[in-house]
Amino acid sequence: MTSGEADVVATEEKQTGQRLISGPGILLVWLYGVMVVGAVSRSAYQIATELDRAPLAYSLSAVAGVVYGFITYTLVRGGERARRAALVCCAAELVGVLTVGTWTLVDPSAFPDATVWSDYGMGYLFIPVLLPLSALYWLRRARTA
């Protein structure tokens, strides 16, 4: 790759990054940031103080926090590779929310305490199920823009 081609790639990456965090992208970054703080702080406290009560629930909340953090990072970083990584993570997040949400409704005894994704995120105003749907839409739209 010549230096001119590298400059073009760098410019495209920068422009794509700006598109990811413009308009609705800013709101997504903010919401994912709030979810990082909520999920990580809640799970850290629960794991530190009462892990034996509901290890699966608290571990899943910690995983959710890490996923939220990675998605936030990729949205802020921008670029085509970051956009694709965010797409994959948002799809995995949605699968997780739907799986855990259904599991908590079908077998509530498996979760003595709620996770971030329990009941499709009802404890978080359904943001955990709405956020990946919105992000998937935005990320697909950002690609075609």
Side-chain angles (χ1 to χ4, degrees), residues 49-108:
T49 61
E50 51 194 2
L51 181 62
D52 57 330
R53 181 169 170 224
L56 178 62
Y58 303 152
S59 299
L60 285 172
S61 289
V63 168
V66 170
V67 170
Y68 293 147
F70 183 76
I71 293 169
T72 304
Y73 169 75
T74 58
L75 288 171
V76 170
R77 184 173 185 280
E80 184 57 24
R81 286 180 52 202
R83 188 194 64 77
R84 284 191 305 243
L87 266 171
V88 170
C89 281
C90 288
E93 174 195 357
L94 182 59
V95 168
V97 172
L98 295 175
T99 302
V100 172
T102 302
W103 190 0
T104 57
L105 293 175
V106 171
D107 185 15

Side-chain angles (χ1 to χ4, degrees), residues 3 6 13 18 20 23 27 40 48 52 79 81 83 85 88 91-92 104 109 124-125 127 133 141 143:
S3 83
E13 292 282 313
Q18 290 172 344
L20 291 179
L27 180 60
V40 170
D52 57 330
R81 286 180 52 202
R83 188 194 64 77
V88 170
T104 57
S109 64
Y124 286 81
L125 304 173
I127 292 172
L133 291 170
R141 185 173 169 267
R143 176 177 159 225

